[in-house]
Amino acid sequence: MTGTGRVLGIETSCDETAAAVVEHGRRVVTSVVSSQVDLHARYGGVVPELAGRAHVELALPVVADALAGAGLDRRGRSLEDPGGPVEIDAVAATVGPGLIGALLVGVSTAKALSLAWGVPFVGVNHLEGHLYAAMLDSPDIELPVVVLLVSGGHTLLVALESPGSYEVLGATLDDAAGEAFDKVARYLGLGYPGGPEIDRLAVSGDPEAIRFPRAATAGPLDFSFSGLKTAVVSYVRSHPEVANADVAACFQEAAVEVLVAKSLAAADQIGARGACLAGGVAANSLLRARFSEAFSERGLASYLPSRAMCTDNAAMIAAAGYFQLERSGPTPLDAGAVPDLQLRSSR
Ligand code: KG4
Ligand code: ZN
């Protein structure tokens, strides 16, 4: 890696086409995200075939936008010195987990650019990318931290000791946190994605109107949300007169209470200096408020990334790619995409 440590990251695992340029895994030079949420909204969820096709159309324009934001042309050369060398040191792309047809678009684009430019290709685990999002917003973060990664597909508690060194402490046994928000919202007849709708509606509800269950799990840092979702559905069925706002507020209360309590327990377990939120559900206003309150009461730092960093983006993929390249070198060009890739402890 040369002096600039400049990595182009590409993210196409789900319904966001994103590209970013990041230096040394810490400084975001440019980050472009093109969301397909409107394309999928009318179906109430992401349609894999449509996502793949949209990525094919958007990948090159989004990459070109990101390069332009870094002062580079489509060939990776400086706009001021088009005859000069390629000014990207490596190309990273999400290889999983995600939708296979979507992942392959980003992976093929990244491999093609890596070949054309003669720079390394790095295949990144999307979930590892999420771990670095808070660091990109707060570069002076003190490690180790606990990261609570809560998205539409995943719920994980991870100890991040140093860039590239992490341990998975707990995970959901069934639904992801965001999935529970989305399913409850759909049941209540709210829009898609459901998390933001529940968040909005809960403001006008009474969080003490109904007591929904907080599931116990055998692994103390694991999560389970399917019982909570079922409890909401059966309550609404037997109390059709209940106000949606009260249901939203009480569901959110139960989900957030468990997420915060287990994050605190995880921080105690590893002697963390602080904790970070990551993933789409990190945009939830109650979770943000309770999380920072709980950690500041313990005298610990809490890092709440901006909305742009919480949701899928390519800056976090470029950062993960940088650290991975430093630790374990490039990924062979014949490596494929892995739709069910898991996040495993790095040692
Ligand atoms: O990380 P993300 O953008 O995509 C992946 O799943 O990878 O997360 C999307 C999830 C959806 O389930 C969405 O409902 C949820 O994040 N979400 C929220 C909020 N904003 C987004 N959940 C609760 N409250 C929110 N404000
Ligand atoms: Zn994600």
Side-chain angles (χ1 to χ4, degrees):
M1 178 108 21
T2 65
T4 57
R6 199 178 281 162
V7 177
L8 170 68
I10 301 178
E11 155 63 39
T12 62
S13 64
C14 191
D15 59 346
E16 255 104 30
T17 317
V21 176
V22 175
E23 288 178 354
H24 295 291
R26 303 260 183 181
R27 197 179 85 80
V28 182
V29 180
T30 169
S31 177
V32 179
V33 180
S34 172
S35 172
Q36 307 172 6
V37 69
D38 296 341
L39 178 66
H40 301 285
R42 79 185 99 141
Y43 303 103
V46 177
V47 183
E49 181 67 19
L50 292 183
R53 287 184 205 187
H55 285 307
V56 170
E57 277 175 28
L58 291 166
L60 290 179
V62 166
V63 165
D65 256 18
L67 291 171
L72 306 176
D73 66 16
R74 287 163 185 264
R75 298 153 48 252
R77 269 83 173 173
S78 166
L79 289 166
E80 280 154 22
D81 181 18
V86 171
E87 303 215 1
I88 293 289
D89 300 308
V91 186
T94 301
V95 292
L99 304 167
I100 184 69
L103 289 166
L104 284 172
V105 179
V107 169
S108 319
T109 307
K111 286 179 179 174
L113 291 173
S114 129
L115 262 180
W117 292 343
V119 300
F121 162 71
V122 201
V124 169
N125 184 323
H126 177 85
L127 301 172
E128 188 178 344
H130 273 299
L131 301 183
Y132 301 119
M135 269 174 45
L136 289 170
D137 265 355
S138 320
D140 47 359
I141 198 164
E142 290 190 42
L143 304 178
V145 289
V146 162
V147 183
L148 174 67
L149 167 51
V150 272
S151 72
H154 303 277
T155 303
L156 287 170
L157 267 173
V158 182
L160 179 61
E161 287 126 19
S162 62
S165 170
Y166 50 86
E167 188 187 349
V168 177
L169 304 171
T172 182
L173 304 174
D174 40 59
D175 290 352
E179 194 179 352
F181 272 88
D182 292 341
K183 285 179 175 170
V184 166
R186 188 178 309 164
Y187 186 71
L188 296 178
L190 308 175
Y192 162 86
E197 300 286 335
I198 298 245
D199 196 349
R200 239 187 318 274
L201 192 59
V203 175
S204 52
D206 170 8
E208 290 174 2
I210 315 149
R211 171 89 189 163
F212 288 128
R214 279 68 168 156
T217 49
L221 298 180
D222 286 332
F223 299 93
S224 168
F225 290 106
S226 77
L228 171 58
K229 175 197 66 195
T230 308
V232 171
V233 170
S234 59
Y235 186 91
V236 175
R237 240 183 230 143
S238 53
H239 301 81
E241 74 296 343
V242 69
N244 264 359
D246 287 348
V247 177
C250 296
F251 159 76
Q252 182 173 267
E253 188 72 27
V256 166
E257 190 182 301
V258 171
L259 290 169
V260 173
K262 297 203 172 185
S263 304
L264 278 175
D268 286 346
Q269 182 175 311
I270 66 149
R273 310 187 68 164
C276 308
L277 283 179
V281 182
N284 183 267
S285 40
L286 186 70
L287 178 59
R288 293 175 84 86
R290 293 278 172 81
F291 194 83
S292 57
E293 219 173 82
F295 280 93
S296 80
E297 271 173 20
R298 291 276 170 106
L300 296 175
S302 56
Y303 303 93
L304 311 179
S306 60
R307 203 181 142 61
M309 267 306 156
C310 289
T311 52
D312 288 350
N313 65 82
M316 67 187 198
I317 301 304
Y322 174 85
F323 297 125
Q324 188 174 321
L325 193 58
E326 295 269 282
R327 280 173 73 96
S328 29
T331 305
L333 284 178
D334 59 359
V338 189
D340 59 352
L341 189 63
Q342 309 276 314
L343 186 69
R344 303 203 189 284
S345 302
S346 64
R347 59 192 157 74

